[in-house]
Amino acid sequence: MYKATSNEYLANGVIVTPANPETYEHVTIVYNGLLSKAGATELYAHVGFGSDWQGNQDLRMIRTKSGYEATITAANAESLNVAFKDRMDNWDNNSGSNYIFNIEQ
């Protein structure tokens, strides 16, 4: 499975800070991608950890000057997986590949 180790999804409007989170570190997800550009007024980050999306949940994102934001705590897993959806159930999942970030162990 491919995992990003930096903010290489910037062109899609997806940024995580820190770019290479460590286990149990707070991670801010910023989204200013396809759904927000299409006028979505309510966005959710669908997040999970590891190859099987452990602990997956939908987090309502808060609109900011940078886009939509949510903060999570990185789990003890090899990756953070993210996809985005609006309240009409339209998805941005990176063309089926999702947005996957390495978690430093």
Side-chain angles (χ1 to χ4, degrees), residues 35 40-46 58 83-93:
L35 297 174
T41 57
E42 192 172 299
L43 286 173
Y44 297 86
H46 181 73
D58 292 332
F84 302 92
K85 68 177 185 171
D86 64 17
R87 66 181 177 166
M88 302 300 290
D89 214 27
N90 297 305
W91 287 80
D92 178 353
N93 61 4

Side-chain angles (χ1 to χ4, degrees), residues 69-92:
E69 293 187 20
T71 301
I72 60 163
T73 301
N76 187 12
E78 81 249 3
S79 64
L80 162 63
N81 310 309
V82 185
F84 302 92
K85 68 177 185 171
D86 64 17
R87 66 181 177 166
M88 302 300 290
D89 214 27
N90 297 305
W91 287 80
D92 178 353

Side-chain angles (χ1 to χ4, degrees), residues 16-18 21-22 25-29 70-74 80:
V16 297
T17 306
E22 295 181 6
E25 187 170 22
H26 290 287
V27 180
T28 299
I29 302 165
T71 301
I72 60 163
T73 301
L80 162 63

